Every structure is written in C-alpha cells, then in structure tokens.
Amino acid sequence: MRLCICLVLLSFALCASADFSAIPRAGRFALDAAGGAWDMLRAYWDMREANYKNADKYFHARGNYDAAQRGPGGVWAAKVISDARENWQGGVSGRGAEDTRADQEANEWGRRGGDPNRYRPAGLPSKY
C-alpha cells in the first residue's frame, strides 16, 4: 500500500513539473513543415510552368527561401525535400555531380535567407 501511495505522489510530482509547452511547439513545427513542403511544391510547379532555360537554380532558391521563412519546420522540410531530390537526381537522372552541387548551393542560399533573385535569369517573366 505504501508503495502505491509513493507511486501516486511521484506521478503527481512528475506531472506538475512536466513541460507541456513542448506540445504547442511540436504542433507549430509540424504546421511550418507542412507549409514549407507546400512552398517547395509551388516553386516546382512554377518551374515546370515557366519552362525557362537556366531558371532551375532560381526556383530552387525561391522554394527554399519561402519554406525557411515559415520557421524551423519549414527549414527542415526544405532540407529534406531538397536533399531527397538531389540524391535522386545525382543517382538516377544522370545529370552529374556538378549540377547537383550547384543546385545544393542555391538550395542552401535560399534556406539561409539569401535573395533568390541572385539566381534569376534575365528575361524570366515577372510572374515568377
């Protein structure tokens, strides 16, 4: 009986000292990650729609930039999506290590908050 009372009191003490603020932070992270994934998808759609020569680095940087503006969850989503795409591209599509390296540079530039227009090719419609 004494053991049971001790366990109950210990449980109350642990619950009282628990950090429940982690739950909203986790929810915010998940929402930021979902929004960041959406930003990456939107940049991909725009790149496909524009079909503009030498514009892929701009869209890489823009997608990562937009995702990173959402917060840590957006940065995480942008990194996961960018790395997965580049691993696929480097291994399957045969575009080569140099293109992958240049894409990753644009991805990181955008994630760090750099202006995507650094990679914007001349003549790309202002819609993008």
Side-chain angles (χ1 to χ4, degrees), residues 19-59:
D19 180 15
F20 290 111
S21 66
I23 294 170
R25 281 196 311 262
R28 181 79 244 163
F29 185 90
L31 287 175
D32 290 347
W38 176 253
D39 291 332
M40 296 292 288
L41 183 60
R42 193 177 65 235
Y44 175 75
W45 283 338
D46 286 349
M47 181 177 70
R48 300 290 295 192
E49 179 185 320
N51 195 25
Y52 200 84
K53 188 174 184 172
N54 298 323
D56 65 324
K57 306 300 181 268
Y58 166 73
F59 288 106

Side-chain angles (χ1 to χ4, degrees), residues 65-118:
Y65 175 85
D66 291 345
Q69 296 307 299
R70 294 182 180 272
V75 171
W76 176 82
K79 180 158 179 47
V80 168
I81 292 168
S82 295
D83 289 349
R85 182 188 180 281
E86 295 309 323
N87 286 337
W88 175 83
Q89 178 178 310
V92 175
S93 74
R95 291 197 176 162
E98 185 61 34
D99 188 58
T100 296
R101 196 171 16 265
D103 285 349
Q104 285 291 45
E105 178 188 314
N107 292 336
E108 290 171 16
W109 175 262
R111 274 196 305 271
R112 286 191 313 260
D115 184 4
N117 287 316
R118 172 184 183 180

